[in-house]
Amino acid sequence: MKSWGLALLVLVLIQKQGIFKQVEAADGFVKTSGLHFVLNGLPYHANGFNAYWLMYMASDPSQRSKVSSAFSEAASHGLTIARTWAFSDGGYRPLQYSAGSYNEQVFQGLDFVISEAGKYGIKLVLSLANNYENFGGKKQYVDWGRSQGQYLTSDDDFFRNSVVKGFYKNHIKTVLTRRNSITGVVYKDDPTIMAWELMNEPRCTSDPSGRTIQAWITEMASYLKSIDGNHLLEAGLEGFYGQASQQKQRYNPNFQVGTDFIENNQIPGIDFATVHSYPDQWFSSSSDEAQLSFLNDWLNNHIKDAQNVLRKPLLFTEFGKSSKTSGYSTYQRDMVFKTVYSAIYSSARSGGAAVGGLFWQLLTEGMDSFRDGYEIVLSESPSTANVISQESHKLYVLRRMYARLRNIQKWKRARAIRRAQWLNRNKGKNTGN
């Protein structure tokens, strides 16, 4: 209890000074050990955010200050993980003009994002493709396949066609082997990157059995890991239970997307599980109370499955509450955040599988065209910003507790070694009175 009290006292002093000290966030690669993330030998629990727009904005040097501002504001609220896009396929200001043809200016924008994140002690989760048409998505890959003479009848052929899969594998290799023009570090060797994500919310509704997605994740996870053995990998799943987990489908919203939380996350090479949470979309006609009740069950069921079935860490990679919903209030949004954070902290404190949450989405001032209803501008949202900071502080204290316990264990081991050495040196001598 004394160590907890000391940690809380230190935290209060830090908060009063308007500073939130980062805890080794910029050091080393994040790894997994059983149910936990581990950084520099310590369990790593972290609070974070989504900001899909970082590369896009940084590709215009005149707008890079917004990236820096976002990281600065995030760090001051204790946020140490950011999830963002490492894709933009076709269309306006793309990363990939066409299959295998890249835009150096946009790549330099991603270089800046990674470099800047490192300065602020923020780890990155980089997503490599999109299920949806925004920023190209699987549809763009399929269109590229058609332009190469492939007979493709569905956007879901992204997961099946060997030529299209080859385009995607080339993107994986191109991104992972990119040498940062600012830091000089190859992406696959950069510990600022915490994890790769195969795809944002992969869905294959044309095959509700789940076999197509299962095969695709298996193939792509193996390929990515053959290039990069340093970083963690996750699939980008929303957390829906599929036909392989029929007894759990009652926990779903009432639709199927061809994925399965259990089976997909058991694939070798997938290091941790992910869940997205949008009851305001899934149950838009239900009351706030009903949505929160579903959310609470959704969170806890996935924590239990990650802990007892998958035996892997669980990161809640998207959640939020839209201001565009009928009857919206900041209080309702804060309750969603508190519900998610409470489930995460309760699990983390007891040694469970939940390792953190990333809200959707962080903006900084002067980005009105990016507002989607879910945006959090910390300077404009004091109550929500306070909820976010409190969760960051709790996880900070938890991490410092683990650090102190490790130091105590080291001291005890050192003392035992010194005593054994002393006894060995004095064996046979009369050391009594």
Side-chain angles (χ1 to χ4, degrees):
M1 292 300 292
K2 287 183 179 179
S3 63
W4 275 90
L6 177 60
L8 286 169
L9 176 60
V10 170
L11 196 58
V12 169
L13 291 173
I14 290 170
Q15 189 175 10
K16 285 184 176 179
Q17 294 174 23
I19 301 169
F20 195 96
K21 182 181 177 184
Q22 300 298 330
V23 187
E24 303 176 311
D27 299 334
F29 290 95
V30 177
K31 300 293 185 179
T32 61
S33 178
L35 299 176
H36 303 122
F37 286 159
V38 176
L39 177 61
N40 302 328
L42 293 173
Y44 181 60
H45 299 91
N47 206 15
F49 62 96
N50 283 271
Y52 74 89
W53 49 268
L54 292 172
M55 178 182 70
Y56 176 86
M57 195 63 75
S59 66
D60 179 353
S62 69
Q63 297 295 313
R64 287 183 175 180
S65 61
K66 288 185 170 59
V67 174
S68 302
S69 294
F71 284 149
S72 177
E73 292 163 13
S76 71
H77 289 76
L79 297 168
T80 57
I81 300 178
R83 176 172 172 261
T84 192
W85 297 168
F87 64 81
S88 181
D89 305 309
Y92 177 70
R93 204 194 297 175
L95 174 62
Q96 197 172 186
Y97 289 117
S98 58
S101 176
Y102 285 85
N103 183 339
E104 178 61 21
Q105 181 179 343
V106 176
F107 239 143
Q108 288 181 12
L110 186 55
D111 293 344
F112 179 81
V113 170
I114 296 170
S115 172
E116 203 72 358
K119 292 178 183 178
Y120 287 96
I122 292 175
K123 296 289 189 183
L124 296 173
V125 176
L126 296 181
S127 188
L128 294 165
N130 201 5
N131 182 72
Y132 311 107
E133 292 185 31
N134 308 76
F135 295 90
K138 65 185 182 186
K139 181 180 187 301
Q140 181 62 77
Y141 275 92
V142 169
D143 286 346
W144 286 336
R146 290 192 181 108
S147 72
Q148 296 287 324
Q150 297 297 301
Y151 178 70
L152 305 173
T153 60
S154 164
D155 291 348
D156 285 349
D157 287 333
F158 172 88
F159 301 110
R160 292 183 280 254
N161 180 268
S162 61
V163 171
V164 174
K165 287 192 292 182
F167 294 159
Y168 175 71
K169 285 181 178 178
N170 180 72
H171 180 63
I172 290 175
K173 184 177 181 179
T174 301
V175 173
L176 270 58
T177 58
R178 163 80 177 183
R179 184 175 297 277
N180 193 307
S181 62
I182 298 171
T183 67
V185 180
V186 176
Y187 284 13
K188 68 185 181 69
D189 299 324
D190 194 334
T192 299
I193 299 167
M194 186 187 91
W196 303 108
E197 176 178 280
L198 290 179
M199 172 177 265
N200 172 50
E201 299 188 347
R203 295 182 174 189
C204 185
T205 54
S206 64
D207 182 9
S209 75
R211 287 189 291 270
T212 297
I213 286 283
Q214 183 76 359
W216 182 82
I217 295 174
T218 301
E219 179 180 352
M220 297 310 167
S222 176
Y223 179 76
L224 188 148
K225 289 287 189 173
S226 74
I227 299 171
D228 182 357
N230 288 322
H231 290 104
L232 302 179
L233 175 65
E234 48 99 352
L237 298 168
E238 298 159 271
F240 303 127
Y241 296 99
Q243 291 186 10
S245 304
Q246 289 189 6
Q247 74 281 8
K248 295 181 180 294
Q249 288 184 2
R250 66 182 184 275
Y251 301 129
N252 281 347
N254 191 27
F255 54 87
Q256 294 289 327
V257 298
T259 62
D260 184 85
F261 177 73
I262 300 296
E263 187 177 49
N264 299 157
N265 283 310
Q266 288 177 326
I267 292 172
I270 298 301
D271 296 299
F272 64 97
T274 61
V275 170
H276 294 184
S277 306
Y278 290 111
D280 63 334
Q281 294 182 20
W282 301 338
F283 303 99
S284 58
S285 60
S286 299
S287 67
D288 288 318
E289 291 77 13
Q291 291 178 14
L292 284 175
S293 177
F294 170 85
L295 177 60
N296 192 61
D297 290 342
W298 179 253
L299 299 167
N300 289 316
N301 283 323
H302 284 85
I303 290 172
K304 290 176 183 176
D305 284 337
Q307 182 166 328
N308 300 326
V309 181
L310 297 175
R311 303 297 297 167
K312 293 181 180 182
L314 174 61
L315 186 64
F316 290 94
T317 42
E318 285 190 30
F319 66 92
K321 172 76 172 179
S322 176
S323 61
K324 297 180 179 181
T325 56
S326 177
Y328 166 83
S329 70
T330 301
Y331 172 79
Q332 293 171 350
R333 181 175 66 188
D334 290 352
M335 286 302 299
V336 167
F337 277 57
K338 287 178 179 179
T339 300
V340 174
Y341 287 155
S342 176
I344 292 169
Y345 181 68
S346 177
S347 172
R349 183 180 58 186
S350 62
V355 291
L358 317 179
F359 66 83
W360 184 280
Q361 62 160 328
L362 179 70
L363 298 184
T364 191
E365 293 178 1
M367 295 184 64
D368 289 352
S369 64
F370 290 80
R371 292 178 182 264
D372 61 358
Y374 289 92
E375 73 279 349
I376 303 294
V377 180
L378 293 167
S379 61
E380 297 176 0
S381 309
S383 67
T384 308
N386 184 54
V387 172
I388 292 167
S389 290
Q390 287 179 2
E391 175 74 355
S392 299
H393 295 168
K394 288 179 181 179
L395 296 178
Y396 172 92
V397 170
L398 192 61
R399 182 158 173 77
R400 295 313 300 160
M401 182 193 72
Y402 280 118
R404 266 189 291 278
L405 288 173
R406 185 177 69 168
N407 290 338
I408 291 170
Q409 291 168 351
K410 284 183 176 180
W411 177 80
K412 286 182 177 179
R413 285 195 298 269
R415 185 179 66 171
I417 291 170
R418 288 195 300 270
R419 178 166 175 77
Q421 290 171 340
W422 182 87
L423 289 172
N424 188 56
R425 286 195 303 268
N426 291 281
K427 188 181 297 182
K429 296 180 181 179
N430 183 11
T431 58
N433 292 324

